[in-house]
Amino acid sequence: MSTEKEDTDPRWYGRRYGKKLRPGRQKLVDTLLPELRIAPDADRLAANLHDLFPANCQDVWLEIGFGAGEHLAAQAANRPDIGFIGCEPFINGVASLLAHIDSGKTENVRIFDDDARILMDALPDASLGRIFVLFADPWPKSRHHRRRMMIEANLQRFARLLKDGGELRFASDHMEYASWTLERLLRQSEFDWQVASAKDWRAPPEDWVETRYEAKARAKDELPVYLRFLRVSRSSGSSA
Ligand SMILES: C[S@@+](CC[C@H](N)C(=O)[O-])C[C@H]1O[C@@H](n2cnc3c(N)ncnc32)[C@H](O)[C@@H]1O
């Protein structure tokens, strides 16, 4: 475990708005988003996280930076027994997810349209069964590494939020970011890498759904890396 505290950046540097939304998407932002939006209210989330979802939902999974939402919408359709929270501050991406939810009549997705760190700090301990961080911005320049999602401060957030045995799923087409992330995760005693051979980080997990950025990377013959880590049981003596 490193002894020096890693540099973090509390600001968020991404885009919030892109092209003007088409009227249909704007309408979804005005009408459907308020119905699905989660407020980062720690007391309410601690009291009733599961009440936000249909009664058949057994667990809650979080996707950070869902982009245009294809992965989240497909996972939610495949797993109606799971309540999904998607975090994405880019409103055009949120509008795209809303269109998927609307056309699929999806009931098990809730949205936080802001910086995931705000919501994570309001969610209760051991409340999530899975966290997805897929093709996150790599911020390649070293002076910008403090903006990366996989800095230690966020790994500690993931460790606090995941249930024992819960899964952290990370994928990237940026090799330096993937190895930088792996190095950090391997230093955290709360996480156990699920790997037996190179196939396990070169091939997506069985229930995988391709994301938009992943499709772009594959079109350029860039092979993504897939990392799966399980949250070590708290009773086995790790901190956090
Ligand atoms: C490179 S895109 C990848 C989108 C999607 N996961 C995919 O694979 O197609 C990264 C996304 O993460 C979002 N993002 C960046 N920082 C974030 C944060 N702190 N909280 C939530 N989303 C964030 C960005 O707005 C952007 O849409």
Side-chain angles (χ1 to χ4, degrees), residues 10-16 63-71 86-91 93 112-118 120 132-139 147-149 154 171 173 208-216:
R11 288 166 294 181
W12 180 68
Y13 288 89
R15 282 195 303 170
R16 195 173 266 283
E63 181 168 344
I64 296 174
F66 59 71
E70 299 92 349
H71 173 270
C87 293
E88 176 56 67
F90 182 49
I91 198 68
F112 184 64
D113 53 328
D114 206 333
D115 186 330
R117 292 172 295 183
I118 300 169
M120 286 196 282
F132 298 95
V133 182
L134 308 179
F135 300 87
D137 304 293
W139 295 111
R147 302 178 185 179
R148 288 177 163 177
M149 182 51 66
N154 289 332
D173 57 330
W208 189 258
V209 180
E210 190 173 67
T211 82
R212 186 171 287 202
Y213 273 75
E214 181 181 15
K216 282 188 200 170

Side-chain angles (χ1 to χ4, degrees), residues 89-162:
F90 182 49
I91 198 68
N92 301 62
V94 171
S96 166
L97 174 66
L98 290 169
H100 286 293
I101 292 173
D102 190 48
S103 65
K105 305 205 180 330
T106 312
E107 298 199 332
N108 53 333
V109 175
R110 299 294 174 267
I111 297 173
F112 184 64
D113 53 328
D114 206 333
D115 186 330
R117 292 172 295 183
I118 300 169
L119 181 72
M120 286 196 282
D121 288 346
L123 285 169
D125 293 357
S127 54
L128 303 177
R130 192 177 287 184
I131 298 176
F132 298 95
V133 182
L134 308 179
F135 300 87
D137 304 293
W139 295 111
K141 292 182 182 154
S142 39
R143 70 174 187 278
H144 292 152
H145 286 179
R146 63 207 293 266
R147 302 178 185 179
R148 288 177 163 177
M149 182 51 66
M150 303 307 280
I151 54 172
E152 281 171 12
N154 289 332
L155 302 188
Q156 285 303 313
R157 287 184 166 102
F158 304 156
R160 182 181 73 77
L161 293 175
L162 281 171

